[in-house]
Amino acid sequence: MGLDTPQRLAVDALLDDPGTRIVVCCGAGGVGKTTTAAALGVRAAERGRKVVVLTIDPARRLAQSMGIDSLDNTPRRVPGIEDGSGAGDGELHAMMLDMKRTFDEIVESHADAERARAILANPFYQSLSAGFAGTQEYMAMEKLGQLRARDDWDLIVVDTPPSRSALDFLDAPKRLGSFLDGKFIRVLMAPAKVGGRAGMAFLNVGMSMMTGTLSKLMGASLLKDVQTFVAAMDTMFGGFRTRADATFRLLQAPGTAFLVVAAPEPDALREAAYFVERLAAEKMPLAGLVLNRVHGSDAEQLSAERALAAAENLEEGGIVDQESGKAGLRDAADDGSPGVGDVHDQSNVNDVDDVSDVNDVNHADDVDAVNDVDQITAGLLRLHAERMQVIAREQRTRDRFASLHPEVAVAEVAALPGDVHDLAGLRAIGERLAAGVPAAGA
């Protein structure tokens, strides 16, 4: 361990606590958030909790690992969960966020049927709901709010969207809410709100210059779509800001726990440190750091330097001079020594030659075998040296994080030889999470 040894994250205590209602796995992309979220869900369910895992990852690996053909916007029961709590209450459901469908559900639930149809058919709405910056993060929070309000599960595990910056997850709901309730939208709504001759006069005089400018920037067709969308959504805009604020408060509530997921690499831990600081600034409850893909060794007493030196010795001195060995055999035969066999008459010469040939072949085979073993051993020593260098580099990176954030509890998860593809693999990850330290040789 390094000089700054962090406190261990008690994962099982977190999952077993009935006061923990939401666990949010967040961090940079590609660090194992989805697998971590799924493993936490499996472990919590098999310890007796009713869990739903909300993933944002469109890849099919999670569904396959849980034995489900596919995931969609509806929670689906995961078969094969073995409730070991004794109470028999453990269940696991999983779902994958459908960003557009979630937006459609908001419209359908907050507008009458005729207005909902008009909104859903509007081209600007279709673009907004499918790909507007921040929409995915906002809809993830909308779905979280819906799941929490249903109260069908006592634990919700959220896999946050992959993004270039971990801060997008916290900023996007407010950003989209501000857009939908902001000055630009209010300006577009103004003519419809004024009404009558005054409204027409306002439109003709006050809006003509802006509308002309926007038409040039956006195109007349798009501007008309936007204005139609705004008119149809008029009664709903305040709700977006209200729900964004409510979800933000939910994330700050004591029943929520954030887990920052990272890999033991400088960039990932730098992002994790930034996220830890942002969570603290927003007064959001941080449970700890999950450090994935940590390497270990069963032979840590053999340093990289010693392993490389041993490999070089084998490679430089392990080759035997086969010609000198053969010469020694011939010399022994010439001076009459009994090393190979006594030659009493000419009839035995051929026999002696045959024996010498056999000995030469056996000696060459032995030398080749020794050289092969030496080469293999040297290769293994070099592999071990590389592993020890990786371990040392990871330890230095972890020490730097611990020195900056000694208050953050850490669970280290050993690197696995392959991808997780079934419930057994998710259970293995869960066991490593609960242990909190990587197994030797991982």
Side-chain angles (χ1 to χ4, degrees):
M1 297 299 290
L3 297 176
D4 298 287
T5 302
Q7 59 179 312
R8 188 172 68 84
L9 174 62
V11 171
D12 281 347
L14 176 70
L15 298 178
D16 293 345
D17 183 358
T20 304
R21 302 300 303 275
I22 298 172
V23 173
V24 182
C25 297
C26 51
V31 295
K33 291 193 305 292
T34 300
T35 301
T36 298
L40 289 169
V42 170
R43 189 163 185 85
E46 295 191 331
R47 295 175 70 85
R49 302 201 67 179
K50 291 183 178 179
V51 187
V52 60
V53 176
L54 168 61
T55 182
I56 318 298
D57 188 354
R60 301 299 175 188
R61 293 179 298 102
L62 179 60
Q64 294 168 353
S65 67
M66 291 184 170
I68 301 174
D69 292 336
S70 63
L71 293 176
D72 54 24
N73 217 39
T74 302
R76 298 186 180 279
R77 180 86 178 259
V78 176
I81 294 300
E82 302 171 0
D83 183 356
S85 67
D89 294 332
E91 294 180 9
L92 178 62
H93 295 74
M95 62 183 297
M96 184 181 73
L97 177 73
D98 184 329
M99 180 177 65
K100 187 178 186 310
R101 182 60 201 144
T102 300
F103 211 150
D104 292 350
E105 290 172 355
I106 297 171
V107 172
E108 291 166 351
S109 62
H110 291 86
D112 58 66
E114 183 177 351
R115 181 170 291 191
R117 283 195 296 272
I119 294 171
L120 297 179
N122 183 273
F124 179 74
Y125 167 78
Q126 293 174 356
S127 299
L128 176 71
S129 61
F132 187 81
T135 303
Q136 186 180 49
E137 288 84 355
Y138 182 92
M139 291 306 147
M141 292 300 92
E142 281 277 355
K143 182 57 69 176
L144 172 60
Q146 292 175 11
L147 293 172
R148 185 68 181 86
R150 286 174 57 178
D151 208 29
D152 290 339
W153 301 276
D154 56 31
L155 179 63
I156 303 169
V157 181
V158 182
D159 163 35
T160 59
S163 59
R164 288 171 297 179
S165 171
L167 302 181
D168 288 349
F169 174 67
L170 296 177
D171 290 337
K174 283 187 174 181
R175 190 166 62 243
L176 184 60
S178 297
F179 167 75
L180 293 174
D181 196 28
K183 292 181 179 179
F184 175 68
I185 294 295
R186 289 201 300 272
V187 168
L188 292 176
M189 289 169 60
K193 283 184 174 295
V194 174
R197 291 183 179 179
M200 290 304 296
F202 179 85
L203 178 61
N204 290 333
V205 178
M207 294 287 290
S208 58
M209 290 183 62
M210 189 197 76
T211 302
T213 302
L214 289 175
S215 294
K216 292 178 181 178
L217 294 174
M218 303 170 61
S221 177
L222 176 57
L223 178 59
K224 182 179 179 181
D225 290 338
V226 172
Q227 289 176 320
T228 304
F229 164 77
V230 169
M233 294 279 285
D234 181 12
T235 59
M236 296 181 57
F237 286 126
F240 284 98
R241 172 66 66 84
T242 300
R243 284 192 299 277
D245 292 342
T247 302
F248 207 76
R249 290 193 299 271
L250 180 64
L251 294 176
Q252 293 174 318
T256 300
F258 279 83
L259 289 176
V260 178
V261 184
E265 300 166 0
D267 288 345
L269 276 176
R270 192 178 301 113
E271 187 85 356
Y274 197 28
F275 209 148
V276 166
E277 293 163 6
R278 176 63 187 276
L279 290 172
E282 298 287 355
K283 296 182 173 57
M284 292 188 174
L286 173 65
L289 171 74
V290 172
L291 203 56
N292 272 331
R293 303 166 189 159
V294 177
H295 292 88
S297 173
D298 287 321
E300 290 190 353
Q301 68 277 11
L302 179 59
S303 68
E305 294 76 12
R306 290 176 58 198
L308 286 174
E312 290 172 0
N313 287 337
L314 284 172
E315 290 167 345
E316 292 175 359
I319 301 176
V320 177
D321 186 349
Q322 296 184 33
E323 291 302 320
S324 63
K326 293 178 182 178
L329 288 175
R330 284 194 295 271
D331 292 344
D334 291 342
D335 65 9
S337 63
V340 174
D342 293 335
V343 182
H344 298 291
D345 54 40
Q346 186 65 34
S347 63
N348 290 333
V349 169
N350 291 336
D351 293 339
V352 173
D353 288 341
D354 290 343
V355 172
S356 298
D357 290 342
V358 170
N359 285 342
D360 287 347
V361 171
N362 290 339
H363 179 70
D365 288 343
D366 290 343
V367 170
D368 289 342
V370 169
N371 287 341
D372 288 344
V373 171
D374 286 351
Q375 290 175 5
I376 293 172
T377 304
L380 291 174
L381 286 167
R382 290 190 178 278
L383 285 175
H384 174 76
E386 291 176 5
R387 168 61 67 92
M388 294 305 296
Q389 290 168 348
V390 168
I391 293 172
R393 185 169 61 249
E394 290 180 353
Q395 187 62 60
R396 289 193 299 271
T397 304
R398 291 171 2 235
D399 287 347
R400 282 195 295 271
F401 178 88
S403 66
L404 291 172
H405 299 284
E407 78 286 357
V408 177
V410 179
E412 297 184 359
V413 182
L416 296 178
D419 290 335
V420 174
H421 54 80
D422 54 18
L423 281 177
L426 292 175
R427 288 190 185 101
I429 293 290
E431 290 171 0
R432 287 163 169 77
L433 278 165
V437 293

